[in-house]
């Protein structure tokens, strides 16, 4: 059985108009099947439905199919990212591109359901959000659950490391992400790889995707460089030593917020760090018995790395290159979200646009965005034992982020346990937020004057530790 095709154009030649095409890859540029996506653009198929985690970054990956008018619908966990206006958003606003936003873990679960012959399933993820509107909801135990349907694909475009001619595929490092679930949901899974070998050259125990799930194998001709990958992740990060000024006094830096949040993680904890500021927490866990979890399928990663320490296939969910700690493991996004939703994570650290006094969280979209970026946050919130929010006390326009009621669409309801800002540490006890710590040089009264929610002040409020 030989599943190798001679060229990329031949591999996509039968993808016709109206096809549902899933393509794997994670974050901004990691693991995208760039060669196959370019071949699909050359093929010229139209009225496509694209299924993906996100549209990536850079015109080469993200926008060619959409700019050419080949896509009519997008099903994704991200349709936009803050500060990165895209052609897709313009088309969404103009009514020329339909979008269905799906939490990342539910996206892969819907694909797994399609492969397993399960037409629908109930999940607590998204039950208290706008994503539940128009869907059947039932209560199981004391929680509402939303009915989600299976998501079959006509084609899946994937990228692996090695494959044999029989279609068995090996992924390297943390690069499995959505590949296995998309392959299994597809009528035809097409994999581009770096190297093709003969059957028997891959050890059976090393195979991540058995050939029965794969229809075609083709050699990749294009690669995203390490420099591009690093630049894509760095472009979205603000300087860790940046700090805001309130009352002519400097608040904690972003690094200082991350440092304080790191101290909240207990020894022996499994923890997930969201994108943005939460990723900096990993730099303050050296020597600690804390195991970090990433949605792309990585358990046991370490701090951020650069230069010669970079491995292009070892990255966290924010597309940042990281170290591999002893005892680490790699897997796919399905297993990663099993860990998240099952309550195995002791703590989840996320950023936020708003948190309100009922412990509701809004962190995936604003009125300025078309669609938004749900990512894995709704899945993580659903199963976290403790949810820690890190953010600056006010937004870029000087408006409070701690509010009476969230104005933005919710990520989760009644879920926030702790908030660390550049001015304060607030802990929720007995249904109320308590101000336990204030930034050095600030008073509780000053903090409360910038807070638009009811907060109780602890009788023994203390200063947050200054930067090291």
């Amino acid at each position: 059985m030989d599943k190798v095709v001679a060229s990329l154009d031949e591999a996509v030649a039968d993808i016709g108009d109206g096809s549902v095409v899933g393509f794997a890859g994670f974050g901004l540029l990691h693991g995208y099947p760039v060669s196959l996506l370019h071949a699909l653009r050359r093929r010229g198929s139209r009225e496509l439905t694209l299924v993906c985690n996100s549209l990536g970054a850079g015109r080469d990956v993200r926008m060619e199919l959409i700019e050419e008018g080949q896509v009519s619908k997008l099903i994704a966990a991200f349709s936009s990212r803050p500060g990165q206006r895209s052609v897709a958003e313009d088309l969404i606003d103009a009514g020329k591109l339909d979008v269905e936003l799906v939490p990342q873990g539910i996206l892969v679960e819907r694909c797994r359901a399609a492969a397993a012959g399960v037409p629908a399933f109930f999940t607590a993820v998204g039950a208290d959000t706008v994503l539940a509107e128009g869907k059947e909801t039932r209560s199981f135990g004391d929680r509402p659950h939303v009915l989600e349907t299976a998501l079959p694909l006509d084609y899946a475009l994937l990228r692996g490391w090695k494959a044999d001619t029989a279609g068995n595929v090996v992924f390297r490092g943390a690069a499995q992400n959505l590949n296995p679930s998309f392959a299994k949901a597809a009528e035809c899974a097409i994999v581009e790889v770096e190297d093709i070998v003969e059957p028997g050259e891959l050890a059976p125990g090393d195979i991540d995707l058995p050939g029965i799930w794969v229809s075609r194998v083709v050699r990749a001709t294009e690669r995203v460089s390490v420099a591009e990958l690093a630049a894509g992740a760095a472009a979205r990060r603000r300087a860790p030593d940046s700090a805001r000024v309130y009352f002519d006094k400097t608040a904690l830096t972003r690094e200082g917020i991350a440092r304080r949040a790191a101290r909240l993680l207990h020894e022996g904890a499994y923890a997930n760090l969201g994108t943005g500021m939460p990723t900096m927490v990993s730099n303050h866990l050296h020597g600690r018995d804390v195991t970090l979890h990433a949605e792309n399928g990585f358990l046991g990663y370490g701090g951020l790395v650069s230069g010669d320490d970079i491995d292009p296939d070892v990255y966290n969910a924010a597309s940042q290159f990281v170290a591999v700690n002893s005892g680490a493991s790699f897997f796919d996004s399905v297993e990663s979200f099993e860990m998240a939703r099952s309550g195995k994570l002791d703590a989840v650290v996320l950023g936020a646009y708003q948190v309100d006094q009922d412990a509701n969280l809004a962190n995936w979209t604003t009125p300025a965005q078309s669609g938004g970026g749900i990512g894995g946050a709704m899945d993580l919130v659903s199963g976290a034992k403790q949810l820690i929010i890190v953010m600056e006390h006010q937004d870029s326009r000087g408006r409070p982020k701690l509010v009476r009621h969230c104005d933005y669409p919710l990520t989760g309801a009644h879920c926030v346990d702790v908030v660390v800002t550049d001015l304060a540490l607030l802990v929720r006890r007995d249904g109320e937020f308590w101000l336990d710590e204030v930034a050095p040089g600030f008073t509780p009264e000053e903090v409360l004057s910038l807070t638009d929610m009811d907060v109780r002040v602890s009788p023994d409020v203390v200063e947050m530790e200054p930067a090291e």
Side-chain angles (χ1 to χ4, degrees):
M1 184 180 297
D2 191 339
K3 298 185 178 182
V4 178
V5 294
S7 71
L8 291 153
D9 291 333
E10 179 184 344
V12 303
D14 60 346
I15 300 181
D17 294 351
S19 295
V20 179
V21 182
F23 66 89
F26 210 88
L28 301 176
L29 287 169
H30 286 283
Y32 283 80
V34 180
S35 308
L36 285 168
L37 287 170
H38 286 175
L40 181 57
R41 189 263 302 161
R42 293 192 297 270
R43 171 75 177 82
S45 306
R46 305 187 75 81
E47 295 297 316
L48 298 173
T49 294
L50 286 188
V51 181
C52 56
N53 176 46
S54 76
L55 293 170
R59 186 182 185 279
D60 284 347
V61 177
R62 182 171 65 183
M63 285 301 145
E64 281 193 341
L65 293 170
I66 289 174
E67 286 182 349
E68 296 294 328
Q70 293 175 248
V71 180
S72 59
K73 182 174 182 178
L74 175 68
I75 301 175
F78 293 86
S79 66
S80 66
R81 295 178 186 271
Q84 298 184 32
R85 185 75 183 180
S86 69
V87 172
E89 291 180 81
D90 295 335
L91 293 174
I92 293 168
D93 285 345
K96 297 179 180 179
L97 178 64
D98 290 336
V99 61
E100 178 185 348
L101 288 174
V102 184
Q104 198 175 92
I106 301 306
L107 182 66
V108 292
E109 197 67 24
R110 289 177 64 188
C111 288
R112 177 163 70 168
V118 176
F121 58 91
F122 281 98
T123 176
V125 176
D128 298 302
T129 75
V130 295
L131 269 63
E133 293 178 0
K135 299 177 182 177
E136 181 182 344
T137 301
R138 290 178 58 183
S139 290
F140 294 89
D142 60 351
R143 299 182 70 183
H145 289 67
V146 178
L147 184 68
E148 297 283 0
T149 56
L151 180 56
L153 309 175
D154 297 320
Y155 296 87
L157 307 182
L158 315 171
R159 187 178 182 100
W161 179 43
K162 289 184 179 181
D164 63 23
T165 59
N168 297 305
V169 182
V170 176
F171 301 99
R172 186 175 180 278
Q176 287 190 51
N177 57 72
L178 290 77
N179 284 280
S181 61
F182 277 19
K184 295 171 185 179
E187 276 293 314
C188 178
I190 309 168
V191 186
E192 63 176 77
V193 293
E194 301 288 326
D195 191 20
I196 301 173
V197 300
E198 293 300 316
E201 293 187 44
L202 301 177
D206 291 341
I207 291 169
D208 299 307
L209 184 64
I212 194 170
W213 299 111
V214 176
S215 301
R216 299 167 194 162
V217 175
V218 64
R219 193 177 299 277
T221 60
E222 301 175 65
R223 295 163 184 81
V224 179
S225 71
V226 169
E228 288 178 275
L229 292 168
R236 301 180 62 233
R237 295 200 299 269
R238 284 172 50 196
D241 60 353
S242 64
R244 291 191 173 174
V245 175
Y246 308 90
F247 305 110
D248 297 321
K249 294 180 285 190
T250 303
L252 291 183
T253 64
R254 292 167 61 81
E255 197 73 64
I257 298 171
R259 181 182 298 110
R260 182 62 188 93
R263 290 174 46 221
L264 296 170
L265 304 179
H266 65 75
E267 297 300 304
Y270 290 98
N272 178 282
L273 307 179
T275 60
M277 197 188 309
T279 62
M280 294 191 290
V281 171
S282 65
N283 286 332
H284 302 284
L285 297 174
H286 182 70
R288 297 277 308 283
D289 183 18
V290 175
T291 302
L292 296 179
H293 163 276
E295 298 96 298
N296 52 309
F298 192 175
L299 191 65
Y301 71 87
L304 307 182
V305 299
S306 59
D308 293 340
D309 293 327
I310 288 176
D311 183 319
D313 293 314
V314 177
Y315 51 91
N316 62 19
S319 294
Q320 297 166 317
F321 295 114
V322 291
V324 181
N325 289 341
S326 298
S329 57
F330 301 118
F331 35 88
D332 76 338
S333 289
V334 168
E335 188 167 359
S336 183
F337 283 105
E338 288 174 339
M339 297 173 188
R341 294 193 300 266
S342 65
K344 298 298 184 184
L345 296 179
D346 297 291
V348 170
V349 184
L350 298 177
Y353 296 131
Q354 292 178 329
V355 173
D356 72 22
Q357 63 190 33
D358 294 319
N360 298 319
L361 167 68
N363 81 341
W364 67 272
T365 191
T366 70
Q369 293 176 258
S370 299
I374 294 173
M378 289 188 183
D379 299 88
L380 293 164
V381 165
S382 174
K385 293 178 182 176
Q386 182 186 43
L387 178 59
I388 301 167
I389 300 301
V390 295
M391 62 184 189
E392 286 157 328
H393 212 83
Q394 293 187 328
D395 68 16
S396 59
R397 296 171 61 182
R399 297 171 298 190
K401 299 179 75 170
L402 293 165
V403 297
R404 292 187 180 278
H405 303 288
C406 289
D407 297 320
Y408 300 157
L410 296 187
T411 305
H414 314 299
C415 56
V416 178
D417 299 299
V418 182
V419 180
V420 184
T421 78
D422 52 352
L423 291 179
L425 171 71
L426 296 95
V427 179
R428 191 164 176 83
R429 295 189 290 270
D430 301 322
E432 296 179 292
F433 278 109
W434 289 77
L435 178 62
D436 283 0
E437 299 179 13
V438 296
F442 291 86
T443 67
E445 292 73 22
E446 289 173 326
V447 172
L448 294 179
S449 73
L450 302 175
T451 305
D452 188 27
M453 67 157 61
D454 291 332
V455 176
R456 303 286 297 274
V457 179
S458 297
D460 52 354
V461 63
V462 298
E463 276 198 350
M464 303 169 83
E465 288 190 0
E468 295 173 358

